[in-house]
Amino acid sequence: MQIRLFTTLFLVFTLTLSFAQKDVKIEGTVLEKDTNIPLEYATVVVKTKEDNKIITGGITDTNGKFNVEVPAGTYIVSVEYISYKTKTFPEQTISKDTDLGTIYLALNVDTLNEVMVVAERTTVEIKLDKKVYNIGKDLTTAGGTVSDALNNVPSVAVDIDGAISLRGNGNVRILINGKPSALAGFGDTNVLSQLPAEAIERVEVITSPSARYDAEGTAGILNIILRQKETLGFNGSINSTIGNPDNIGLNASLNYRTEKYNLFTNLGWRYFDAPRNSFNDVTRFDRLEDGEIISPTFRRIIEDEEVERLNRNYNANVGIEYFLSDKSSITGSLFYRFGSDADLAINESERFNDGIIVEETLRRERDTEQDNSYQIAVNFVQRFGDDADHKLTVDFQYENDSEEGFTFLNEDYLSTDQTDPEPFQIEQEFTNEDQKEYLFQADYVLPIGEDSRFEAGFRSNLENEITDYRLEQEDLDTGQLVRNDTITNIFDYDENVNAIYSQYGTKFGKFSFLLGLRLEHTQLKGNIDSRLSDEDLENAYQFPIKTDFDNNYLGLFPTVNLIYNLSGADSDSEESITLGYNRRINRPRGWFINPFPTRSSRTNVFQGNPNIQPAFSNAFDIGYLKRWEKLTLTSSIYYQVETNSFERVEENTGRQTTDEIDIIRTIPINLSTNKRTGAELGVLYNPNKWLRLNSSFNFFQFETDGEFNDVDYSAKNTSWFARFSSKVTLPWQIDWQTNAFYRGAQQDAQSDTEGLLSIDLALSKELKIKSNSLTVSLNARDLLNSRKRKSLTTTEFFERYSESQWRQRQINLSLIYRFNQKLNKRERSGRGENGDGDDMDFEG
């Protein structure tokens, strides 16, 4: 009996101990008080009763539900959400699975000012395939554009010509809300200089894209996510700007949201003068031709050009999101943009022999251009079951862009030593470009358990571009303008890309991975309608040209992304390591293929190459993140090998102008291999509410290996760029921000480019008007007027020193009025489907 009793007691004690050590669940649902709207991303924190130490925590899903596990015990449970009053459950004895039921959070009006301070900060999130920079209130870009805002994002640089690069590599894919868009100008990044910076919510820097993304862009992808208003009722903002040089802009962002639908619109108008200038000093050498030394007609030529650029832009984006049910929604939108530009370029040329000016000319170029583009987009989302992540997303997008350009060119002698100089021909250029693009896309996501997900999809991107170019030149005998049939042409170009992909991701413990494979078929098809035959074109442009070509490429693009969380559950900091691999493609754009030369200069022309092939790259990336309460450190090292890489080379065409000046052309070619190695470091430090610091440093080295026309263009280029930003809150709640950017010197096969420094300053004051606000900002971009590119190019035939400035110092005064905007931001079941490619959101 005693043995039996002892055995029974032992079993009861063992079972009790085992049950005591088993984790139990705490669950519940968080809703907004009065409206009963689920609050997604509300934070649940569980602390010990004795020492107030955090044991665990979690966030709510799209339905406001949460579920956390803890060992049995007594805890303090709190539920928090930005701008809402915290709900606390003191001394909760949790011995079994516990449902806290429905928890209602009320808006805390007293904390709105504090929330605004949080919203001002630029934060970074590390995910499996990308870094997400949530853009804070950047004062230096108030009244500025998307391009200005991108120039303050770590890893990104916008050069003086408006070209965007990632880690020093210009082959970057620009997406808007996860898709190619007319808002990004069909790949023309200059269009981003027409959209207000205020429109950006966050920028995803995707240096190791997953298989869900198009394989285009060897540098990676910049995905610009535009702001979406989630507050019920009517709300919006009005942004007005005035600046010098002339910069006048007005933008209105309006939103009306109900439980069933959401109406949104963004209207903008901008008028600006963006004067630019350039200077070129060219020394030409003797050349050997058929065993004979040929001396240039002019040993040295100096060109000094000033350009006035008047631009008028209008854009409108209107749409509606309709919630068909709790599990499905459909969104339709229409974007329209109209641009009217008028440029006047005056180029004064001085020509020397033996150090003496022997001839001076003045060239005038008048350009006008009108650009009409629109985009129609439809997005459908269907969710399945109780899991919000189990969904099907279908997108259709049609874009149309039409540009009409006219150029008038004339040049006159100011002085010359010629006895009877032949006058220059007056020229007129007419250019019509029509571009159409269709996008079909479907993505299916299937969660497998709590920590795994399978995804598959299809994308078809069909693009056609027709360039109709006509050149008329003066007949010097009659004075009449006559069509030049040898240069006039119609270039019809198609780029069709069809792709399927699948990927699988999972998370176990501290380790997460995402594996994917993408299959893409690319068709690059072109037809040149010209009076010249293939043989005539080859003789004229000195390389084989096909007036009708159809190139097809089939490629597999694997991706691997890994992340390991080094921090423990009770750690006060966050620490992780990421590893990425991906294969990418760089497809030549139409203007890289069109063989007919530009006419903006008689002596220096750009000419496309119909024989250029796509380039392929393999890239590896290792990243490290360490986050404390007030400090975030990010770093990475990367290596990329690109085959058939593009390179622009300059060479003497062997032809001369009517006044016997050698014509130099720039042509893109496949230059064999390009190896890229680099490292980057970023620091975000917010020691106090009144001080915020942000800095980053990028170092990279490009090594090219190849030759063209028996010339070796192998070279090694080592460069770097760094940026620093500080934001200080002065007395009377005046914000003062300083941004500094420095790009180190660069070298390539033919040129050495000096480093440049740019500094931006801004002051801002926010005024509260009941529940609305008015922000007044004064900023100066490129305060020192030092953002100029200076380079020295050396070839066998010439040496050229050049300076260019795309935009002069700009001073802007901006007023932003926001009305009826609560600061809480949430998503409901149909929301967040902007195609932003949210793959496995396992954060570091």
Side-chain angles (χ1 to χ4, degrees):
M1 178 68 69
Q2 291 178 345
I3 295 176
R4 189 173 298 172
L5 177 61
F6 176 79
T7 303
T8 302
L9 291 175
F10 178 78
L11 290 173
V12 170
F13 175 79
T14 302
L15 289 174
T16 302
L17 182 62
S18 65
F19 278 116
Q21 293 176 339
K22 182 180 179 181
D23 288 348
V24 293
K25 295 181 180 179
I26 304 175
E27 58 185 2
T29 304
V30 182
L31 304 179
E32 182 182 50
K33 188 178 180 180
D34 299 328
T35 65
N36 293 334
I37 295 177
L39 294 179
E40 186 181 3
Y41 299 123
T43 303
V44 180
V45 180
V46 181
K47 300 180 181 180
T48 58
K49 176 178 175 294
E50 293 79 8
D51 54 8
N52 207 36
K53 182 179 179 182
I54 296 178
I55 294 298
T56 189
I59 59 173
T60 55
D61 61 17
T62 55
N63 299 315
K65 297 182 180 297
F66 67 88
N67 187 319
V68 296
E69 294 186 356
V70 296
T74 301
Y75 301 101
I76 299 173
V77 182
S78 62
V79 181
E80 305 171 357
Y81 197 78
I82 293 177
S83 79
Y84 285 78
K85 295 180 180 179
T86 299
K87 179 71 173 179
T88 302
F89 297 86
E91 297 190 29
Q92 293 291 305
T93 301
I94 310 296
S95 58
K96 60 180 181 180
D97 292 351
T98 302
D99 188 350
L100 296 179
T102 302
I103 303 167
Y104 295 96
L105 298 186
L107 188 66
N108 187 355
V109 180
D110 294 336
T111 64
L112 287 182
N113 289 337
E114 296 180 11
V115 174
M116 183 64 75
V117 172
V118 175
E120 289 177 356
R121 298 182 180 179
T122 297
T123 60
V124 59
E125 301 173 53
I126 304 296
K127 298 190 177 182
L128 267 170
D129 60 343
K130 58 196 169 190
K131 295 176 183 175
V132 182
Y133 293 94
N134 298 292
I135 303 299
K137 294 173 66 178
D138 192 333
L139 308 182
T140 62
T141 62
T145 65
V146 169
S147 291
D148 298 319
L150 289 178
N151 205 36
N152 290 334
V153 174
S155 304
V156 181
V158 183
D159 71 12
I160 62 170
D161 298 327
I164 298 172
S165 62
L166 180 59
R167 292 172 167 177
N169 186 351
N171 183 228
V172 54
R173 180 73 158 165
I174 307 293
L175 303 179
I176 303 291
N177 293 336
K179 295 183 286 293
S181 172
L183 277 73
F186 295 97
D188 178 8
T189 56
N190 285 329
V191 175
L192 298 177
S193 65
Q194 302 172 14
L195 299 175
E198 173 79 3
I200 297 182
E201 177 175 316
R202 67 182 187 272
V203 176
E204 297 179 345
V205 179
I206 310 173
T207 53
S208 183
S210 69
R212 180 174 188 169
Y213 293 99
D214 181 8
E216 170 71 25
T218 56
I221 295 172
L222 288 180
N223 188 20
I224 301 169
I225 306 299
L226 303 182
R227 294 188 187 278
Q228 301 287 342
K229 305 300 182 184
E230 302 296 335
T231 308
L232 289 174
F234 179 64
N235 59 84
S237 64
I238 299 175
N239 184 354
S240 61
T241 299
I242 185 169
N244 181 271
D246 292 348
N247 181 25
I248 305 173
L250 184 64
N251 182 268
S253 179
L254 307 174
N255 197 87
Y256 180 72
R257 182 182 176 90
T258 70
E259 288 295 316
K260 197 64 179 175
Y261 62 86
N262 185 33
L263 294 171
F264 55 89
T265 183
N266 190 290
L267 307 172
W269 168 79
R270 189 181 182 211
Y271 169 87
F272 64 99
D273 177 14
R276 66 176 176 86
N277 58 79
S278 63
F279 174 83
N280 288 278
D281 186 348
V282 181
T283 300
R284 300 175 185 268
F285 308 136
D286 295 337
R287 70 177 188 272
L288 185 63
E289 188 174 305
D290 297 329
E292 182 181 356
I293 297 178
I294 306 297
S295 297
T297 304
F298 302 104
R299 181 66 64 180
R300 183 185 180 194
I301 299 176
I302 295 178
E303 292 184 280
D304 195 352
E305 184 181 50
E306 299 283 342
V307 183
E308 294 181 3
R309 297 184 297 169
L310 298 179
N311 298 268
R312 292 166 294 277
N313 300 309
Y314 307 84
N315 62 79
N317 186 30
V318 295
I320 181 172
E321 177 183 20
Y322 186 77
F323 303 107
L324 301 172
S325 68
D326 289 340
K327 299 186 182 301
S328 63
S329 69
I330 187 169
T331 302
S333 64
L334 170 65
F335 171 79
Y336 174 75
R337 177 171 59 86
F338 173 77
S340 179
D341 303 339
D343 297 355
L344 173 61
I346 298 178
N347 189 342
E348 185 172 351
S349 177
E350 297 178 335
R351 297 154 191 177
F352 297 79
N353 279 326
D354 300 323
I356 300 174
I357 296 179
V358 295
E359 191 169 276
E360 292 180 277
T361 64
L362 187 68
R363 178 182 175 89
R364 298 177 181 87
E365 177 178 342
R366 297 178 179 87
D367 289 308
T368 59
E369 181 179 296
Q370 288 191 345
D371 182 6
N372 275 282
S373 65
Y374 65 89
Q375 169 186 292
I376 299 171
V378 179
N379 168 264
F380 172 75
V381 179
Q382 176 66 58
R383 301 179 186 271
F384 306 95
D386 296 329
D387 194 331
D389 290 332
H390 186 192
K391 60 187 177 183
L392 172 67
T393 305
V394 180
D395 288 281
F396 168 76
Q397 200 166 274
Y398 169 73
E399 303 175 12
N400 184 288
D401 184 54
S402 178
E403 295 183 12
E404 295 182 2
F406 170 75
T407 302
F408 179 83
L409 300 166
N410 72 308
E411 189 167 358
D412 297 303
Y413 290 102
L414 298 180
S415 66
T416 180
D417 64 351
Q418 299 184 55
T419 304
D420 188 18
E422 183 177 352
F424 298 106
Q425 289 177 302
I426 293 176
E427 295 185 357
Q428 289 186 161
E429 295 179 275
F430 301 85
T431 305
N432 292 319
E433 294 184 7
D434 290 301
Q435 188 167 358
K436 295 179 176 63
E437 186 169 349
Y438 297 86
L439 172 70
F440 304 90
Q441 181 174 335
D443 299 285
Y444 176 70
V445 180
L446 175 65
I448 303 174
E450 294 184 0
D451 295 323
S452 301
R453 183 156 71 175
F454 171 79
E455 185 173 348
F458 163 80
R459 173 183 281 193
S460 179
N461 208 88
L462 312 176
E463 182 179 346
N464 172 256
E465 179 181 355
I466 299 176
T467 303
D468 187 343
Y469 175 82
R470 183 172 87 251
L471 174 66
E472 294 180 354
Q473 293 176 304
E474 180 186 13
D475 185 325
L476 296 177
D477 294 328
T478 65
Q480 299 295 315
L481 291 172
V482 180
R483 169 171 159 161
N484 185 328
D485 286 331
T486 62
I487 295 180
T488 297
N489 70 95
I490 299 176
F491 182 48
D492 189 342
Y493 179 65
D494 290 287
E495 179 182 298
N496 301 319
V497 181
N498 295 287
I500 57 173
Y501 79 93
S502 67
Q503 59 186 19
Y504 173 77
T506 190
K507 178 179 182 180
F508 47 91
K510 297 183 178 182
F511 182 75
S512 306
F513 70 80
L514 180 62
L515 307 178
L517 184 63
R518 187 179 186 91
L519 175 66
E520 285 192 354
H521 176 265
T522 300
Q523 180 189 42
L524 305 180
K525 182 180 179 182
N527 176 266
I528 302 172
D529 184 359
S530 168
R531 188 176 69 84
L532 299 181
S533 66
D534 289 4
E535 184 178 354
D536 292 333
L537 287 170
E538 181 176 343
N539 292 332
Y541 300 123
Q542 300 176 322
F543 54 77
I545 292 178
K546 291 184 178 180
T547 54
D548 194 348
F549 61 90
D550 188 352
N551 300 323
N552 291 266
Y553 310 92
L554 187 66
L556 277 174
F557 301 92
T559 62
V560 179
N561 288 287
L562 313 173
I563 188 168
Y564 183 72
N565 192 347
L566 298 172
S567 55
D570 57 348
S571 174
D572 293 332
S573 63
E574 181 181 341
E575 188 176 17
S576 63
I577 294 177
T578 58
L579 174 64
Y581 162 76
N582 63 88
R583 186 171 187 256
R584 310 287 294 165
I585 185 174
N586 183 9
R587 305 182 186 95
R589 306 299 297 176
W591 64 284
F592 253 43
I593 292 178
N594 192 337
F596 289 89
T598 59
R599 303 288 298 178
S600 58
S601 171
R602 296 186 304 116
T603 57
N604 292 278
V605 300
F606 178 87
Q607 185 176 347
N609 178 4
N611 306 306
I612 198 166
Q613 305 292 312
F616 294 87
S617 72
N618 291 277
F620 303 85
D621 189 293
I622 300 176
Y624 173 76
L625 166 75
K626 178 72 171 180
R627 195 200 313 269
W628 296 268
E629 180 181 0
K630 298 180 178 181
L631 177 67
T632 300
L633 173 69
T634 60
S635 62
S636 64
I637 56 175
Y638 52 91
Y639 176 73
Q640 181 186 77
V641 179
E642 183 177 357
T643 56
N644 269 349
S645 62
F646 301 162
E647 185 78 20
R648 298 186 194 187
V649 299
E650 296 186 59
E651 61 179 9
N652 195 315
T653 61
R655 292 178 289 125
Q656 293 185 325
T657 62
T658 56
D659 50 343
E660 299 181 339
I661 300 176
D662 292 340
I663 298 176
I664 305 300
R665 73 173 174 190
T666 301
I667 183 171
I669 61 171
N670 293 112
L671 195 64
S672 189
T673 303
N674 190 338
K675 298 178 182 178
R676 310 172 187 264
T677 306
E680 57 185 351
L681 175 68
V683 177
L684 294 171
Y685 184 45
N686 303 129
N688 296 286
K689 289 184 178 180
W690 58 269
L691 177 62
R692 290 172 289 280
L693 304 175
N694 182 356
S695 65
S696 62
F697 176 81
N698 282 260
F699 170 84
F700 48 88
Q701 182 181 86
F702 298 167
E703 184 176 355
T704 58
D705 180 19
E707 65 176 39
F708 178 70
N709 284 348
D710 299 323
V711 178
D712 186 3
Y713 290 99
S714 300
K716 182 178 291 188
N717 167 30
T718 301
S719 188
W720 59 279
F721 66 87
R723 54 169 48 91
F724 172 80
S725 175
S726 68
K727 191 173 180 182
V728 180
T729 301
L730 303 173
W732 302 290
Q733 295 299 304
I734 297 175
D735 288 327
W736 170 29
Q737 184 171 330
T738 303
N739 288 357
F741 174 83
Y742 183 81
R743 191 195 66 196
Q746 293 179 292
Q747 307 85 33
D748 60 26
Q750 293 180 307
S751 301
D752 291 311
T753 304
E754 297 181 14
L756 64 83
L757 171 68
S758 178
I759 295 177
D760 303 334
L761 291 180
L763 292 171
S764 176
K765 170 66 178 176
E766 184 160 337
L767 305 173
K768 289 295 180 181
I769 307 174
K770 295 183 179 180
S771 61
N772 306 324
S773 68
L774 175 66
T775 302
V776 182
S777 297
L778 178 66
N779 61 47
R781 293 202 293 274
D782 194 13
L783 180 69
L784 305 179
N785 204 33
S786 57
R787 196 171 178 82
K788 301 178 181 179
R789 178 167 56 198
K790 302 177 181 180
S791 63
L792 179 65
T793 301
T794 304
T795 73
E796 181 183 356
F797 304 105
F798 67 91
E799 180 179 87
R800 181 179 64 242
Y801 172 77
S802 63
E803 294 184 8
S804 60
Q805 184 178 26
W806 184 253
R807 186 177 64 183
Q808 299 177 13
R809 175 175 46 230
Q810 181 81 43
I811 299 176
N812 292 320
L813 175 65
S814 178
L815 302 177
I816 303 175
Y817 178 70
R818 302 178 180 89
F819 60 91
N820 297 339
Q821 292 193 17
K822 295 179 182 179
L823 294 177
N824 54 302
K825 301 190 67 174
R826 56 188 180 273
E827 298 182 13
R828 56 168 292 167
S829 59
R831 209 58 175 136
E833 297 307 322
N834 296 318
D836 54 346
D838 256 351
D839 301 302
M840 300 293 291
D841 284 346
F842 302 146
E843 300 179 9

